[in-house]
Amino acid sequence: MYGVIVCTKCRLHAQIIEVGVSRTVQCQMCGARLQVRKLQLLSTSEDREEIVRARTLIQAKIQADRHIHAVHAQSFQCNKPENISSVGEICLTKLEASRKIRSKDPASIILENISSQGEMSIDELENKCASLDIDKDVIKKTIARLLEAGNVYSPAKGRIKKV
């Protein structure tokens, strides 16, 4: 059986996986290692062609961030139930519910939060970023990169300040 997943790190790439074959997959876009058991399957099918069509619709939605209308669906030969207004709603309902769009990269968000308060604790910064659906590992790596680059510094243990 095949399934379509979206990378939980970059949220920019939908890919097809074989369900139950491996424990981890690597995002083809950002290279992140993803644990299959923690991923949400947005679509599943035994038919390879059907899952390719579903993945194409999901990827188009990610890239364009707009509804896919019936005209597009006809080219992908998807079936549309009468109570759904567009085929995009069929293939992308789970994606819409689970995907929160971040308009900026984590570094920009962290720098904005720090500059608005001058100096802040790393725990407080992690909580603010977690509320924006940014993974704690991403936050820690981004803070480490900002410290190395000299964009921020640590005036005291557990605190961070913008240069």
Side-chain angles (χ1 to χ4, degrees):
M1 177 165 65
Y2 300 103
V4 177
I5 56 112
V6 173
C7 176
T8 55
K9 300 293 181 185
C10 69
R11 297 176 190 241
L12 297 173
H13 187 68
Q15 66 189 55
I16 298 170
I17 62 168
E18 286 188 72
V19 178
V21 172
S22 64
R23 292 182 182 185
T24 61
V25 294
Q26 186 171 6
C27 176
Q28 297 164 345
M29 180 73 80
C30 70
R33 279 260 180 239
L34 308 169
Q35 293 181 5
V36 173
R37 65 182 175 85
K38 292 183 177 181
L39 298 173
Q40 181 180 16
L41 292 173
L42 299 174
S43 181
T44 57
S45 176
E46 295 288 335
D47 181 27
R48 178 85 173 159
E49 289 181 21
E50 184 179 330
I51 205 71
V52 168
R53 284 193 300 270
R55 184 252 177 228
T56 304
L57 286 170
I58 292 168
Q59 188 63 41
K61 174 63 176 158
I62 291 169
Q63 289 177 343
D65 199 31
R66 62 178 178 227
H67 288 288
I68 298 169
H69 300 287
V71 173
H72 298 100
Q74 288 172 356
S75 66
F76 295 121
Q77 300 170 345
C78 288
N79 296 325
K80 183 175 109 169
E82 294 175 17
N83 61 342
I84 302 290
S85 63
S86 73
V87 173
E89 291 179 44
I90 300 167
C91 299
L92 303 170
T93 303
K94 290 182 183 177
L95 180 63
E96 288 289 330
S98 67
R99 182 173 179 246
K100 294 180 182 176
I101 299 169
R102 274 199 313 253
S103 60
K104 298 179 182 173
D105 67 306
S108 298
I109 293 169
I110 289 170
L111 290 171
E112 283 179 11
N113 278 301
I114 294 170
S115 63
S116 67
Q117 297 195 358
E119 179 182 325
M120 72 187 321
S121 75
I122 293 175
D123 291 335
E124 184 182 349
L125 182 62
E126 285 178 350
N127 290 336
K128 282 190 173 192
C129 291
S131 69
L132 296 171
D133 198 34
I134 301 173
D135 188 51
K136 283 198 176 204
D137 289 337
V138 172
I139 297 167
K140 288 180 182 183
K141 288 177 184 176
T142 304
I143 290 172
R145 277 190 290 131
L146 291 171
L147 284 166
E148 286 177 16
N151 295 328
V152 296
Y153 68 98
S154 182
K157 186 175 182 180
R159 304 216 38 94
I160 194 165
K161 190 171 185 175
K162 188 175 177 183
V163 175

